[in-house]
Amino acid sequence: MALAKITSVTGRAVPVVGNDIDTDRIIPARFMKCVTFDGLGEFLFNDVRKDPKTGATTDHPLNQPRYQGATILLSGANFGCGSSREHAPQAIQKYGFKAIIAESYAEIFFGNSTTLGMPCVTAAREDIAKIAAAVDQNPQTEVTIDLVKLEVRFAGQTVKITQRESARDALINGRWDAIGELLDGVPAVKTTAAKLPYLATA
């Protein structure tokens, strides 16, 4: 099955502010004892969304009703740092997010997100603040990440974004999953193999 060409992502956004938000904060290690990634979204940011002593729900943005259904996550610098667990971007995607806008990303987190077809784009701090202010004023604000034009459009405003060219090319041309590409090539491999001369083994 051909991979989707991801040229843009449109949805509502939620700000999860802060720098150096690491993978253990994104998905605590105790929730990684799973055979598949299904269900990880339930525990996204678990230890900051619940009071560690009482278990009561905190005022974390993901707990606020006005941000329910958001599919674009806004954050700060060095997002996804820490251990290289693939569970972190998987948890973000399983929760329902389709893209992230941040100041910068940890290298492995960025790569793992790209292979999930979840664009991680970079914007200046002041521009992310503009988007956050718009969605704070009106959480229903529609935000569009345009990977072709490298810009984000929201509330009548436009800000520039950047993305590593190799990742951008893979996403917009539907080549973001290496395993998927290999599987797509199986029929061609079988066709070629069938044309090769048969070599008997001793």
Side-chain angles (χ1 to χ4, degrees):
M1 182 177 69
L3 297 172
K5 294 182 179 180
I6 303 171
T7 58
S8 66
V9 176
T10 297
R12 294 188 287 112
V14 55
V16 178
V17 299
N19 297 328
D20 303 313
I21 293 179
D22 62 30
T23 53
D24 194 54
R25 197 187 320 180
I26 294 169
I27 182 70
R30 65 184 181 281
F31 297 118
M32 293 167 55
K33 300 174 182 178
C34 53
V35 177
T36 70
F37 296 117
D38 295 334
L40 280 181
E42 175 185 354
F43 306 109
L44 181 66
F45 292 113
N46 185 85
D47 289 356
V48 287
R49 294 178 64 192
K50 294 182 179 180
D51 185 283
K53 295 182 179 179
T54 65
T57 299
T58 68
D59 64 349
H60 189 277
L62 297 194
N63 291 335
Q64 298 178 27
R66 64 187 186 139
Y67 290 127
Q68 295 306 300
T71 56
I72 297 173
L73 190 151
L74 308 175
S75 198
N78 201 28
F79 188 83
C81 58
S83 73
S84 60
R85 64 191 70 170
E86 186 182 355
H87 298 69
Q90 286 280 358
I92 291 172
Q93 188 180 65
K94 297 299 183 187
Y95 184 86
F97 287 108
K98 296 180 179 179
I100 305 172
I101 305 173
E103 292 178 53
S104 62
Y105 302 88
E107 186 77 17
I108 295 176
F109 176 89
F110 179 90
N112 286 337
S113 297
T114 301
T115 59
L116 291 177
M118 184 170 65
C120 292
V121 300
T122 303
R125 179 180 302 179
E126 56 270 26
D127 288 335
I128 295 173
K130 290 177 184 178
I131 304 170
V135 299
D136 178 62
Q137 183 175 14
N138 178 12
Q140 298 301 313
T141 296
E142 188 174 84
V143 177
T144 295
I145 300 171
D146 190 326
L147 297 181
V148 176
K149 294 183 178 180
L150 287 176
E151 63 184 26
V152 174
R153 298 184 293 274
F154 61 99
Q157 303 180 63
T158 301
V159 298
K160 291 296 182 181
I161 56 174
T162 60
Q163 186 178 44
R164 187 176 308 163
E165 185 56 32
S166 58
R168 176 174 172 267
D169 178 75
L171 290 164
I172 66 178
N173 289 298
R175 296 196 301 265
W176 42 268
D177 183 350
I179 295 176
E181 282 196 88
L182 287 173
L183 293 175
D184 282 346
V186 168
V189 171
K190 289 182 176 179
T191 299
T192 300
K195 297 176 181 177
L196 297 175
Y198 175 74
L199 298 178
T201 56

